[in-house]
Amino acid sequence: MKKIICKTYNEMSWKAADIVITAVKEKPGLVLGLPTGTTPIGMYDALANAYKDGFVNFSRVATFNLDEYVGLTPDHPQSYRYFMDKHLFGRVNIKPKNTHVPDGAAADLGAAARNYDALIEKSGGIDLFVVGIGQNGHIGFNEPAASMPAFTHVVELTQNTIEANSRLFNGMSEVPLKAVTQGMATILRAKKILLLASGESKRAALEKMESGIITLDCPATLLNLHRDVTALLS
Ligand code: F6R
């Protein structure tokens, strides 16, 4: 794993955007895996600015987001589809039909999850997967557990995640208890992974990941199985 320590959050965000832009220049039809959350907002701002200034063209890029809350429709302000439209998709020239976020409001969540994996397969798989990390070491919403499905699935959120994410809702009782997430197998099949982490609250999970011991108690440790991970830390 390649580790790059950045002095500031802004530096981390610009470096992350630079890696994405370079990848899009090398492969204009890049298939990107993307996270939501507080951490990637600076990277999305940097990408939107780079697009505005003519440095990057997203017209052939396809994206597959990591996860979505169960029960939230795309027009819900806390849904991850809403987040992505606001922070990135609505600010660059990506084609809406090429942007994918798991459907957390599907009547048949299992079928929607299988369809999501099939779409990723059909696109040729993910070239570059940008991921964040939870305080508890989750990647996407692959929460610490004794076992976990390899591919896209519905998951019950842990108390730690509900508490951490309640800052964006009007209280804990409004945070959905379940989410749909891509599985660790899809994440690990990406050609390249870029992990973004900022702040003290992520230190314990990062230390476990960097220990090199693999355990499902800290799903981020599974990233040690991949040969091309860059961690940008601030
Ligand atoms: C969100 C996601 C989560 C976040 C993680 C960190 O799509 O997949 O795993 O990356 O919870 O969130 P922030 O960046 O808000 O600390």
Side-chain angles (χ1 to χ4, degrees), residues 35-40 66-67 80 132-134 138-141 167 202:
T36 55
T38 306
T39 314
L66 273 167
D67 40 20
Y80 285 170
I133 180 172
H138 72 207
I139 298 286
F141 277 135
R167 68 188 192 281
K202 306 293 171 69

Side-chain angles (χ1 to χ4, degrees), residues 48 77 107 161:
T161 296

Side-chain angles (χ1 to χ4, degrees), residues 34-41 65-68 80 130-136 138-142 161 164-165 167-168 181 196-198 201-202:
L34 293 175
T36 55
T38 306
T39 314
I41 289 177
N65 263 77
L66 273 167
D67 40 20
E68 179 59 283
Y80 285 170
V130 185
V131 299
I133 180 172
Q135 292 171 20
N136 63 2
H138 72 207
I139 298 286
F141 277 135
N142 293 288
T161 296
N165 291 8
R167 68 188 192 281
L168 304 168
T181 183
L196 305 182
S198 183
S201 66
K202 306 293 171 69

Side-chain angles (χ1 to χ4, degrees), residues 18-89:
D18 195 45
I19 289 170
V20 172
I21 291 167
T22 303
V24 174
K25 287 199 166 137
E26 275 169 13
K27 184 177 178 187
L30 193 78
V31 181
L32 261 178
L34 293 175
T36 55
T38 306
T39 314
I41 289 177
M43 176 188 74
Y44 291 143
D45 284 342
L47 287 172
N49 285 330
Y51 165 70
K52 202 172 67 192
D53 294 340
F55 291 122
V56 60
N57 176 5
F58 288 92
S59 64
R60 290 176 54 201
V61 170
T63 60
F64 287 91
N65 263 77
L66 273 167
D67 40 20
E68 179 59 283
Y69 288 116
V70 165
L72 300 195
T73 49
D75 58 345
H76 191 292
Q78 308 309 336
S79 78
Y80 285 170
R81 162 56 77 176
Y82 190 97
F83 175 101
M84 289 308 301
D85 288 347
K86 175 175 163 193
H87 289 286
L88 184 69
F89 302 153

Side-chain angles (χ1 to χ4, degrees), residues 1-2 19 127-129 187-188 190-195 223-231:
M1 187 173 302
K2 188 169 151 199
I19 289 170
D127 293 306
L128 171 61
F129 218 134
I187 297 164
L188 291 170
K191 294 191 187 88
K192 188 180 171 70
I193 297 175
L194 177 61
L195 172 78
L223 297 182
N224 286 292
L225 294 168
H226 197 280
R227 54 164 79 237
D228 192 354
V229 180
T230 300

